[in-house]
Amino acid sequence: MTTVESEPPASLLADKDGRWTAQWRELYAEVITNDLCTGCAGCVVTCPHDVIGYEHEEGKYIPFHLEDSLGLDNCIHGFGEEGGCTTCTRACPRFRAWEPAADMHLFGRVREPDEMAGIWRQLYLTRATDKTVHENGQDGGLVSALLIWLRENDYIDAALVSGVEDDDAWKAKPVVVETKEEILATAGSRYTYCANPLALPEARERGFERLALVGMGCQTSSPPVMWDRKAGKVSKPFLFNIGLLCSKTFDDAIFEELFEAKYGLKKQDMLKMNIKGVFQIWMKDGSYHEINLKECHAWTRQGCTTCPDFAAEHSDIATGGIGENNDWTLTIARTELGEEVIERMIADGVIEAKPAQEDETAMRLLRLLSIVSRRRWPKGANEAPSVGVPPPKKKKAAAATSS
């Protein structure tokens, strides 16, 4: 692995005129070469020259340079006496000191060393009171309830979320949702990756100016990083940021190569899935199956292997089902706006809530999984995500047996 300070070979950096782009080269060396790129697509949607594409397909989920004759690491649009265009580097939530930048913009301070799950204002356990929303959603159905409430109360015009292909109910794709019916149609988790910001062009084409973004931490860190680094007008429509707790996502190949090949579980016959210490799968025939997560590790998406953010630390509200049962959602109100929305939803009777501290399992896992994720962050990259992270406990040596 190349260190942050190292440069790719000069032959990779030169175009036919012998020029190269310092900023894109730096992004390439620091993020892409070092496997820090999560595939969030922040650079894609902010590029003012439309020269960064995205491979939203099995085994990839990464950005690439459309002007392939010059190479991924050589964008001539960034060339100039003053450094030229630097938008992609300013939109990247893994470039340089991204964590402190987003912290300062959202909270006016950086996280303390012991704040492993980031900065927050309130912790809740929540669930939707509407039976349809609850049953269609994941765990407590909070995200669906949130989007419906935000839309009905004029906070947003639409949301960027993960939907599915018309011919494959488990193949995720970025979509724009506006109505309650559209929101409920995209409810639930799939545990494969979907770069939801890629739906932004469609939202703009449809005239939506106030958007909510739903995504994992790598995606929800991008707007506040853009705001802090002044990465153009692209970030302005993102008015509400909903983060999903995430320790990793899996490549789409896991369906055929593990679930079907080993267990005979065809994805077209799957009804729902969840992760609660094991991979839980409910089938349309009413059967239920559990798969050891260790069996799934081989299909971990490359972009997740160095990601330090389990708890979506730069969202307005972060949420996930890591509690003791599937009926309640751990809900982290991080910003003043996030807290305002949750409190208003409780007052309106749209959701019911109780203190998260009542679920000791959820609180323990929030800290533990945040620490585990932060330990992935590579040495040599900006040290901020690693600050305060305790070293792994040494395993106790097995007791000597007497002969």
Side-chain angles (χ1 to χ4, degrees):
M1 179 179 287
T2 308
T3 62
V4 174
E5 291 76 20
S6 301
E7 295 183 359
S11 61
L12 292 178
L13 300 173
D15 65 13
K16 53 191 174 184
D17 297 320
R19 304 179 305 184
W20 47 267
T21 304
Q23 288 291 333
W24 180 259
R25 177 194 65 182
E26 191 174 1
L27 180 66
Y28 182 85
E30 182 171 331
V31 177
I32 299 174
T33 305
N34 276 326
D35 294 327
L36 300 186
C37 177
T38 64
C40 76
C43 61
V44 181
V45 299
T46 56
C47 177
H49 306 289
D50 294 325
V51 295
I52 306 178
Y54 193 90
E55 295 182 279
H56 200 277
E57 58 187 75
E58 185 175 302
K60 295 184 178 178
Y61 295 94
I62 54 174
F64 68 96
H65 204 291
L66 292 173
E67 296 173 330
D68 55 1
S69 62
L70 300 176
L72 171 66
D73 53 334
N74 181 29
C75 175
I76 60 172
H77 302 282
F79 178 82
E81 183 176 352
E82 299 299 325
C85 177
T86 61
T87 306
C88 59
T89 63
R90 288 182 282 135
C92 177
R94 292 296 179 266
F95 184 63
R96 292 184 180 170
W98 58 274
E99 186 185 57
D103 279 353
M104 289 301 298
H105 186 89
L106 290 175
F107 313 115
R109 68 175 180 87
V110 298
R111 70 174 181 88
E112 295 293 334
D114 65 339
E115 292 179 308
M116 290 292 101
I119 299 168
W120 69 66
R121 298 172 69 90
Q122 295 290 340
L123 294 176
Y124 312 84
L125 293 173
T126 65
R127 63 182 179 187
T129 55
D130 183 295
K131 184 178 179 181
T132 301
V133 175
H134 189 183
E135 291 180 350
N136 279 272
Q138 194 80 357
D139 297 297
L142 175 71
V143 174
S144 297
L146 255 173
L147 294 178
I148 294 167
W149 188 91
L150 288 168
R151 180 72 179 82
E152 291 178 348
N153 287 270
D154 202 34
Y155 278 74
I156 62 171
D157 299 321
L160 311 185
V161 304
S162 168
V164 294
E165 298 287 352
D166 294 336
D167 60 349
D168 188 341
W170 293 101
K171 176 63 176 175
K173 68 174 182 179
V175 297
V176 180
V177 291
E178 178 187 10
T179 66
K180 179 177 180 179
E181 291 71 27
E182 290 173 339
I183 292 168
L184 291 177
T186 59
S189 297
R190 283 161 279 279
Y191 300 104
T192 52
Y193 196 71
C194 186
N196 296 343
L198 289 175
L200 180 61
E202 179 191 343
R204 287 191 294 219
E205 288 176 7
R206 292 171 61 178
F208 298 133
E209 298 180 351
R210 302 173 303 161
L211 300 173
L213 171 64
V214 179
M216 282 70 76
C218 56
Q219 297 172 25
T220 53
S221 283
S222 190
V225 166
M226 293 182 204
W227 300 328
D228 184 74
R229 296 172 177 170
K230 299 178 174 57
K233 298 179 180 179
V234 172
S235 60
K236 290 185 178 180
F238 294 111
L239 298 188
F240 203 86
N241 218 351
I242 302 171
L244 307 176
L245 305 187
C246 176
S247 58
K248 66 171 65 176
T249 58
F250 300 98
D251 191 270
D252 293 271
I254 195 172
F255 284 99
E256 287 79 20
E257 296 175 6
L258 178 62
F259 299 152
E260 182 174 354
K262 184 173 181 178
Y263 294 98
L265 304 175
K266 296 181 179 181
K267 65 177 178 178
Q268 62 265 30
D269 298 327
M270 294 179 180
L271 179 65
K272 185 177 179 179
M273 60 178 58
N274 206 339
I275 293 179
K276 293 280 189 181
V278 295
F279 210 119
Q280 303 174 319
I281 299 177
W282 290 263
M283 306 297 287
K284 293 177 181 178
D285 63 6
S287 63
Y288 167 75
H289 306 266
E290 292 185 354
I291 297 174
N292 192 312
L293 282 175
K294 291 182 179 179
E295 293 189 65
C296 304
H297 289 338
W299 286 270
T300 299
R301 193 180 63 95
Q302 179 61 38
C304 299
T305 57
T306 58
C307 179
D309 186 7
F310 166 77
E313 62 176 321
H314 297 129
S315 53
D316 290 300
I317 293 173
T319 180
I322 60 171
E324 293 181 344
N325 63 63
N326 293 342
D327 279 339
W328 293 86
T329 304
L330 178 65
T331 304
I332 308 171
R334 297 193 179 278
T335 64
E336 184 176 353
L337 175 60
E339 183 180 24
E340 170 194 314
V341 167
I342 290 294
E343 291 295 333
R344 286 194 61 189
M345 291 178 70
I346 295 171
D348 287 352
V350 174
I351 59 173
E352 54 182 317
K354 57 185 180 180
Q357 290 78 3
E358 291 184 10
D359 189 336
E360 294 181 1
T361 298
M363 298 305 298
R364 178 178 58 82
L365 286 175
L366 176 61
R367 179 172 175 80
L368 174 62
L369 295 176
S370 295
I371 290 173
V372 170
S373 291
R374 288 188 183 277
R375 285 178 181 156
R376 300 172 182 161
W377 188 243
K379 294 179 180 178
N382 183 273
E383 66 178 9
S386 301
V387 171
V389 178
K393 292 182 180 179
K394 293 182 179 180
K395 294 183 178 179
K396 294 182 180 180
T401 58
S402 58
S403 57

